Amino acid sequence: MERVNAARNWLKKYAPEDVKFTIQTATPELNLKKEEIAVFHKIAEVLENKEFDEKSLHEEFYSTCKAHNVPIADFFKAAYQILFRKERGPRLAHFVLTYGKEKVAELFRNV
């Protein structure tokens, strides 16, 4: 418990903004192109139906974006907006697997 309190204190007092984030509970309104929306819907579908490790999920992001002609940078920027309301965040595949594929799929499905 002492370590948790020390970490919480560090976050409040010293952590830079780029390491602080709040996970959204509802999908925010974003101005996305139809191709980008299709990517998030496809990612939501595969998250619900396939098992991944971090590497294979990262590769899924790239292959899905390529199949829909969406630049990978645009996908990551929008994904971080959906999840954290920020343009950057933790490694996406690692975060998705740690936080829960189902929770992320629900946010992506509602884009």
Side-chain angles (χ1 to χ4, degrees):
M1 198 60 182
E2 185 177 323
R3 290 185 86 165
V4 170
N5 288 329
R8 189 174 296 139
N9 186 47
W10 179 82
L11 280 168
K12 287 180 185 175
K13 293 183 178 181
Y14 307 108
E17 281 303 311
D18 64 330
V19 300
K20 296 179 185 180
F21 59 86
T22 301
I23 303 165
Q24 301 302 297
T25 56
T27 304
E29 292 288 326
L30 298 175
N31 189 16
L32 299 177
K33 298 174 187 169
K34 65 180 180 176
E35 297 85 4
E36 294 170 322
I37 293 170
V39 167
F40 284 106
H41 290 178
K42 180 63 178 176
I43 295 292
E45 178 185 321
V46 296
L47 285 174
E48 294 173 329
N49 296 309
K50 289 177 71 176
E51 292 300 317
F52 292 98
D53 60 19
E54 191 173 334
K55 182 180 179 188
S56 63
L57 181 54
H58 189 75
E59 290 169 356
E60 183 70 36
F61 295 153
Y62 275 83
S63 63
T64 303
C65 286
K66 185 175 182 178
H68 289 85
N69 295 318
V70 171
I72 193 68
D74 293 350
F75 165 75
F76 280 110
K77 185 177 176 180
Y80 291 129
Q81 285 289 331
I82 293 165
L83 295 169
F84 313 119
R85 300 291 262 158
K86 292 190 171 204
E87 291 189 13
R88 298 175 154 196
R91 292 183 320 229
L92 189 58
H94 179 77
F95 173 81
V96 169
L97 296 174
T98 302
Y99 181 63
K101 296 184 318 175
E102 300 79 14
K103 295 174 189 174
V104 174
E106 184 172 338
L107 288 169
F108 285 1
R109 186 178 36 256
N110 293 322
V111 168

